[in-house]
Amino acid sequence: MNVKVHTPKSLASGSGMATMKQFLMSMVATTISIVLTFGTASWVEAHSKGGFA
């Protein structure tokens, strides 16, 4: 099976800033997803007990 992977031009050039930008974007996205996951779980648990956290 032949799979073609699209590489953005900013990453294809090998620029250090592009790599740093990708890393920071990944960190921000991961942080947001963790906050949403645990925040939602906490809210649901508090709501099911009849009170707010």
Side-chain angles (χ1 to χ4, degrees):
M1 183 194 301
N2 234 352
V3 177
K4 292 185 178 182
V5 178
H6 174 71
T7 303
K9 290 183 180 183
S10 62
L11 295 178
S13 65
S15 169
M17 289 303 288
T19 304
M20 183 59 79
K21 183 179 178 183
Q22 282 292 110
F23 175 73
L24 290 176
M25 295 275 287
S26 296
M27 290 294 293
V28 168
T30 302
T31 302
I32 290 172
S33 66
I34 289 171
V35 167
L36 285 174
T37 300
F38 288 104
T40 303
S42 174
W43 181 82
V44 168
E45 185 177 338
H47 195 68
S48 68
K49 289 182 179 179
F52 290 103

